[in-house]
Amino acid sequence: VKFGPARPDLLEVLPPASEGGRSRLRIWDFKASQKARHDHYIQVAYYSFLLDHAVREAGLASVEVDVDFGVICSREGTPVFELRPYRLAVDDFLRNRAQALFDTPSADAHFHVEDHCSMCEYMDQCRQEADAHYDLSRVAYISSESKRRLRAEGVRTHRELAALADEARVERLQASSHDLYVNLSRYVSAAQAL
């Protein structure tokens, strides 16, 4: 696993909460988006873990990381937000979910190429992977969740989706989600056109 740089945009130095206490470092992150998104909050929470660890490892006794609140500055404003629920999510991911991802062969890892991926630096790599393995994400407008449900039912490629004819299997898939109930026949037709 390779981690890239993780740099908060700004650290605000807050006075100690009590007399003789330590100064607190509050993390600010600046976004060009209209308003803060869920992943922005997760990013700040992740930064808080890294910064807290760095402060402790460096033995900086005069400061501590504000693990209660953070700030995301978007075009909508700069509200202070409660960091704790996001820290719990990051902690849960790192302790309970990340290892399963690391242990999964890359060919079996869930990914989904969608329109919003166009800004990602890995878009070309993911698109090549999807093309090379006949990935379901090549089917126009199919959702990541529908792809996940199809794969759980053993439909792993758009070629397998194009050949889907077993009525019992079709009924199970349609019963598994609203999207597949409404759009499965359209997805099969789109897969057949590929």
Side-chain angles (χ1 to χ4, degrees), residues 92-105:
D92 175 61
F93 173 77
L94 293 173
R95 289 182 191 276
N96 303 315
R97 301 169 193 267
Q99 192 60 49
L101 283 175
F102 300 149
D103 293 342
T104 301

Side-chain angles (χ1 to χ4, degrees), residues 126-184:
C126 292
R127 175 58 68 198
Q128 288 171 359
E129 183 79 13
D131 291 346
H133 296 99
Y134 310 105
D135 191 78
L136 289 166
S137 61
R138 292 194 62 216
V139 176
Y141 305 110
I142 195 167
S143 70
S144 178
E145 183 57 30
S146 289
K147 175 183 170 180
R148 193 181 299 275
R149 291 180 187 273
L150 285 162
R151 288 174 58 100
E153 183 64 32
V155 180
R156 302 182 62 82
T157 69
H158 68 75
R159 288 182 171 181
E160 292 170 349
L161 179 59
L164 186 63
D166 178 355
E167 285 302 317
R169 196 176 198 191
V170 167
E171 287 177 13
R172 277 194 310 275
L173 284 164
Q174 287 177 321
S176 71
S177 80
H178 176 73
D179 181 55
L180 289 176
Y181 179 78
V182 172
N183 296 310
L184 183 58

Side-chain angles (χ1 to χ4, degrees), residues 9-25:
D9 293 327
L10 179 74
L11 294 177
E12 178 182 13
V13 180
L14 299 169
S18 60
E19 185 73 30
R22 297 184 286 176
S23 297
R24 291 170 295 135
L25 301 174

Side-chain angles (χ1 to χ4, degrees), residues 44-60:
V44 171
Y46 178 67
Y47 289 161
S48 75
F49 278 104
L50 296 177
L51 184 60
D52 190 44
H53 179 75
V55 165
R56 291 172 195 265
E57 283 296 308
L60 302 176

Side-chain angles (χ1 to χ4, degrees), residues 18-151:
S18 60
E19 185 73 30
R22 297 184 286 176
S23 297
R24 291 170 295 135
L25 301 174
R26 179 170 291 164
I27 298 168
W28 284 56
D29 209 44
F30 292 83
K31 300 297 180 190
S33 57
Q34 183 63 33
K35 64 184 209 172
R37 297 189 319 253
H38 181 70
D39 56 334
H40 297 154
Y41 297 109
I42 293 292
Q43 182 180 10
V44 171
Y46 178 67
Y47 289 161
S48 75
F49 278 104
L50 296 177
L51 184 60
D52 190 44
H53 179 75
V55 165
R56 291 172 195 265
E57 283 296 308
L60 302 176
S62 62
V63 297
E64 64 184 347
V65 176
D66 183 355
V67 295
D68 296 320
F69 297 98
V71 179
I72 295 177
C73 183
S74 67
R75 285 186 268 159
E76 196 173 72
T78 58
V80 173
F81 70 94
E82 189 175 351
L83 201 50
R84 190 168 312 279
Y86 300 100
R87 283 180 55 90
L88 288 172
V90 170
D91 184 64
D92 175 61
F93 173 77
L94 293 173
R95 289 182 191 276
N96 303 315
R97 301 169 193 267
Q99 192 60 49
L101 283 175
F102 300 149
D103 293 342
T104 301
S106 62
D108 294 336
H110 182 79
F111 75 99
H112 191 66
V113 181
E114 298 181 275
D115 290 339
H116 74 269
C117 296
S118 62
M119 299 300 288
C120 177
E121 64 184 292
Y122 302 107
M123 171 64 170
D124 292 337
Q125 180 181 345
C126 292
R127 175 58 68 198
Q128 288 171 359
E129 183 79 13
D131 291 346
H133 296 99
Y134 310 105
D135 191 78
L136 289 166
S137 61
R138 292 194 62 216
V139 176
Y141 305 110
I142 195 167
S143 70
S144 178
E145 183 57 30
S146 289
K147 175 183 170 180
R148 193 181 299 275
R149 291 180 187 273
L150 285 162
R151 288 174 58 100

